[in-house]
Amino acid sequence: LLFVLVVIFSIGNPRFFTIKNFLTIAQQIVVTLIAAYGMLYVIVEGSIDLSVGGIVALSAIAVAKTVGVLGGFAVIPAVLIGILCGAINGCCYTFLKIPTFITTMATMTAFRGIVLIITGGAQIMITDKRFIGLFNGSYLPSIPNNVIMVIIITVIMWYIYNNFAFSREVRAVGGAEKVATLAGIRVNKIKVQVFILCGALAGLAGCFQAARSYAATPTMGDGMEMDVIAAVVLGGTPMSGGIGSVLTTVLGALIMCI
């Protein structure tokens, strides 16, 4: 499907098949792709997370509030906010036995409410050149930093997904939870951890979105959860869980962007 789209658009517009345009597309999928890696784990485990857009917004607010002091290190509180939000989702789902659709829909609303309270409905500008330069600048000629970073993150996530025991356990839980329990896998621990990972990556995505927008806004990330879920599903990961792939998630994100 991606190949067909590229051929069609290249025929329709000769400017489409250029390095400059491909770099533009790569920049456009950075935020969605990073969040999609976390969603990949959640869906492979057999769950869903509708709160990623709210987490992105909260993390962007954390960046805007701390970037003046921390500069590029404002990514730390943003990711910590994401981890906290993910832990809340995971614990509600795992220990309170509330279905993830209901849990994350509720937390999505709660996170959005917190964003509105903090911002008062107004955007918070980000003017720190260190942060903007790191996440939205270009240290190498013609190659944006965010593209380089997302390639590095993709390689790391691919390695983790294909080589870490944690990833194998996630696939086992998503494939057959009862069998995974009998095999000695701590299922509840895995469930909480996948939501923490999803939250952390959504928090990181919030940093890139804030740098790209030069601001944190109350509506940032609104509806983003659908794009993220679509990227994972278009990449061939079934909603029933058990299987998935980092590389096909990249293809799914590209299809969404193109």
Side-chain angles (χ1 to χ4, degrees), residues 12 22 72 75 114 148 160 162 182 209-210 241 251:
F22 288 151
V75 65
I114 294 172
I148 295 173
I160 291 174
N162 289 284
L182 293 173
Q209 184 63 55
L251 296 179

Side-chain angles (χ1 to χ4, degrees), residues 162-224:
N162 289 284
N163 295 281
F164 276 43
F166 166 70
S167 300
R168 291 192 290 273
E169 291 175 348
V170 171
R171 292 194 290 271
V173 172
E177 184 176 326
K178 291 183 179 179
V179 175
T181 302
L182 293 173
I185 296 174
R186 299 172 64 182
V187 173
N188 286 346
K189 179 181 177 182
I190 293 298
K191 288 180 177 180
V192 174
Q193 286 177 336
V194 295
F195 277 95
I196 289 176
L197 176 61
C198 186
L201 289 170
L204 181 60
C207 295
F208 285 93
Q209 184 63 55
R212 183 179 178 184
S213 303
Y214 292 84
T217 66
T219 59
M220 183 170 285
D222 193 17
M224 179 181 169

Side-chain angles (χ1 to χ4, degrees), residues 5-82:
L5 289 174
V6 170
V7 171
I8 292 174
F9 287 124
S10 297
I11 294 174
N13 187 344
R15 294 182 181 179
F16 180 84
F17 202 79
T18 61
I19 294 177
K20 182 179 180 180
N21 186 54
F22 288 151
L23 285 174
T24 300
I25 292 172
Q27 284 185 287
Q28 290 176 342
I29 69 169
V30 165
V31 175
T32 299
L33 188 56
I34 292 173
Y37 291 146
M39 186 65 74
L40 171 66
Y41 273 84
V42 171
I43 293 178
V44 168
E45 183 269 318
S47 300
I48 196 76
D49 189 348
L50 300 178
S51 68
V52 289
I55 296 175
V56 166
L58 268 178
S59 300
I61 296 299
V63 167
K65 291 290 187 180
T66 61
V67 70
V69 176
L70 299 178
F73 291 103
V75 65
I76 295 175
V79 172
L80 289 177
I81 288 291

Side-chain angles (χ1 to χ4, degrees), residues 66-73 126-137 139 145 211:
T66 61
V67 70
V69 176
L70 299 178
F73 291 103
I126 298 175
T127 58
D128 189 274
K129 294 182 179 180
R130 298 168 295 176
F131 181 82
I132 299 296
L134 177 62
F135 287 95
N136 200 45
Y139 295 152
N145 291 346

